Amino acid sequence: MTLINENYLKLKAGYLFPEIGRRVKAFTDANPEAKVIRLGIGDVTRPLAPAVIKAFHDGVDDLARGESFHGYGPEQGYDWLSKIIIEKSYKPLGVELMPSEVFISDGSKCDSANILDILALDNKVAICDPVYPVYNDTNVMIGRSGEADDKGYYEGLVYMPCTEANNFAPALPKEEVDIIYLCYPNNPTGMVATRTELKAWVDYANAQGSLIFFDAAYEAFISEPGIPHSIYEIEGAKTCAIEFRSFSKTAGFTGVRCGLTVIPEQLMALTKSGEKVALNKLWNRRQSTKFNGVSYPVQRAAAAVYSEEGWPQVQETISFYMENARLILAGLKAAGITCYGGVNAPYIWLKTPEGMKSWDFFDKLLNECHVVGTPGSGFGPSGEGYFRLSAFGSHENVQEAIQRIQQKWGK
Ligand code: MLT
């Protein structure tokens, strides 16, 4: 008989966003006339930038001609894309990288899960609570945890609460941990980390010999000066951190799929016998074996994000979404609802009115206001009593959603 990976059976619930999708579908099937406004999953709604579309088309046209046809590309991504990312996205931050340190992929969700392949199971992992569920669930799936307790904490994983009490900035773990997941700007809270806070993490990791997974998928939404866009802006980060980035939210690639992972050449981890091994080499080996690269037209489209025409177009879309974030934040505050984030991130993290539980608020908001958001408890036990709204809709829908919330809960 075939045996399954029983770690999957430890997972308490289905993945958060399909669960929301199921509830919304049940509602819309029963109420086909309702105008449902979706501010749940962080999925973009604006079309790709014209310069990106043109490059995408050009890439497809290249495939139509023998002389410009491309078959398998490098598993690490084309050099011209890595080089332009380094030049336009890292150099301005004062970060020097080599193309061999940048791995182009089909998205940071996959990378942040697949990276576990190259690390031993007995590493102790610390994640924030609330957290992007992928970090938690993939560690459970791979067998790094025991069962979940009644609250939803899995045995063997270290949870770092991010609450109002610590301004959603996790404290350094008291026990020794080997891998730390940080996501800034944060999903789900929309909060950011200062240079000083990140320096404390980098110093901790270098001192302990631990590894930071830094998810910077939302860095393009930072609006305030002085907030780090990359962990490598922090001295010492190249010896302790891997960074994930994404074109999904930055340039509307959620349906196109492109991201990148940076692994500095000097980043080492140990064998059981204490021998140092470069993680860059291991990841390269993993990718060459399990991945055949991102399609050529997609990489052409990604490169166009940094072109003279593409960059301002992409920035305009980001500003459009951040105007939504501003409208949501202002509207909720006017209704007397406590909220966080939304200034350097496309997510607003609000305290549910009347102390409602997150899923109760979800159901009420859907049934009575026809607005979809994401229950905070879906991101972890410390998210209970919170709720996330995303800023990726149209201005009209965002304004209407806020009006409906104000009518229902405004003071
Ligand atoms: C979210 O809504 O948290 C994101 O869209 C999830 C993701 O990027 O995978």
Side-chain angles (χ1 to χ4, degrees):
M1 271 303 267
T2 309
L3 301 176
I4 60 154
N5 174 355
E6 289 190 28
N7 295 311
Y8 278 66
L9 303 182
K10 294 175 189 161
L11 293 165
K12 289 238 342 170
Y15 188 60
L16 176 60
F17 295 105
E19 173 59 28
I20 290 173
R22 269 191 296 278
R23 291 196 191 204
V24 175
K25 183 170 183 311
F27 176 81
T28 50
D29 285 351
N31 302 277
E33 74 299 339
K35 183 190 169 196
V36 174
I37 299 177
R38 292 162 202 266
L39 306 177
I41 190 166
D43 195 5
V44 294
T45 54
R46 307 279 294 166
L48 296 174
V52 170
I53 284 291
K54 169 150 192 334
F56 211 162
H57 278 296
D58 289 349
V60 173
D61 288 344
D62 281 354
L63 300 184
R65 291 183 298 264
E67 65 276 18
S68 53
F69 178 74
H70 287 68
Y72 289 130
E75 295 89 356
Q76 304 77 7
Y78 288 101
D79 230 34
W80 41 260
L81 179 55
S82 305
K83 281 182 178 154
I84 196 169
I85 290 168
I86 293 169
E87 194 59 35
K88 303 283 186 183
S89 206
Y90 282 99
K91 270 224 175 110
L93 304 175
V95 176
E96 297 288 339
L97 292 172
M98 292 179 287
S100 60
E101 297 177 308
V102 176
F103 295 85
I104 309 299
S105 73
D106 56 351
S108 60
K109 176 180 180 176
C110 318
D111 281 1
S112 70
N114 292 335
I115 196 78
L116 298 180
D117 269 13
I118 64 167
L119 297 158
L121 263 193
D122 23 19
N123 284 305
K124 186 70 121 183
V125 164
I127 59 174
C128 292
D129 166 33
V131 76
Y132 178 40
V134 172
Y135 314 153
N136 183 80
D137 291 5
T138 54
N139 275 288
V140 174
M141 287 169 170
I142 206 166
R144 194 166 277 124
S145 81
E147 299 291 336
D149 66 14
D150 293 345
K151 281 187 158 166
Y153 291 125
Y154 289 84
E155 188 205 339
L157 301 182
V158 174
Y159 291 89
M160 305 182 290
C162 300
T163 61
E164 262 182 324
N166 59 13
N167 201 28
F168 304 98
L172 298 174
K174 289 199 180 67
E175 58 195 291
E176 224 173 272
V177 296
D178 308 301
I179 298 171
I180 302 147
Y181 286 77
L182 297 176
C183 171
Y184 288 111
N186 188 257
N187 180 14
T189 66
M191 301 293 269
V192 284
T194 63
R195 200 168 285 274
T196 313
E197 284 165 340
L198 289 185
K199 179 80 175 109
W201 280 109
V202 166
D203 289 348
Y204 169 92
N206 278 323
Q208 300 276 335
S210 34
L211 175 64
I212 295 174
F213 288 154
F214 191 76
D215 186 346
Y218 299 93
E219 60 80 27
F221 294 84
I222 293 174
S223 67
E224 291 180 317
I227 306 290
H229 287 240
S230 164
I231 189 77
Y232 303 119
E233 289 179 66
I234 310 299
E235 202 194 329
K238 283 191 177 175
T239 50
C240 67
I242 289 177
E243 179 162 296
F244 303 103
R245 283 199 176 192
S246 169
F247 287 88
S248 284
K249 318 296 157 88
T250 306
F253 275 47
T254 53
V256 176
R257 308 309 306 151
C258 195
L260 60 122
T261 290
V262 178
I263 309 188
E265 300 264 8
Q266 65 261 54
L267 182 59
M268 301 286 160
L270 300 179
T271 62
K272 277 220 168 89
S273 55
E275 210 182 311
K276 282 187 180 168
V277 176
L279 291 178
N280 181 293
K281 299 229 156 20
L282 284 190
W283 183 244
N284 194 27
R285 185 69 177 82
R286 190 263 174 215
Q287 290 297 80
S288 321
T289 307
K290 293 196 177 184
F291 186 57
N292 259 336
V294 178
S295 82
Y296 167 78
V298 166
Q299 294 193 62
R300 285 285 304 271
V305 167
Y306 303 100
S307 66
E308 217 170 289
E309 312 79 52
W311 190 248
Q313 292 166 357
V314 164
Q315 297 311 311
E316 196 184 313
T317 301
I318 290 173
S319 303
F320 179 93
Y321 292 136
M322 289 313 285
E323 172 60 9
N324 283 343
R326 194 192 63 73
L327 290 170
I328 297 172
L329 211 49
L332 293 179
K333 283 188 177 164
I337 296 173
T338 306
C339 36
Y340 299 91
V343 176
N344 296 297
Y347 295 128
I348 290 87
W349 188 240
L350 62 103
K351 256 179 120 163
T352 56
E354 298 143 20
M356 251 179 280
K357 291 201 152 214
S358 303
W359 277 109
D360 291 346
F361 183 65
F362 173 91
D363 288 332
K364 216 169 168 60
L365 195 63
L366 176 59
N367 287 301
E368 297 178 25
C369 299
H370 306 169
V371 173
V372 182
T374 309
S377 57
F379 296 102
S382 295
E384 184 59 273
Y386 288 88
F387 200 78
R388 194 192 76 178
L389 290 179
S390 79
F392 291 112
S394 66
H395 291 333
E396 298 70 33
N397 278 351
V398 160
Q399 270 161 330
E400 193 174 333
I402 293 303
Q403 263 167 24
R404 293 182 196 173
I405 293 173
Q406 285 178 336
Q407 270 157 17
K408 181 84 197 145
W409 284 286
K411 300 238 161 75

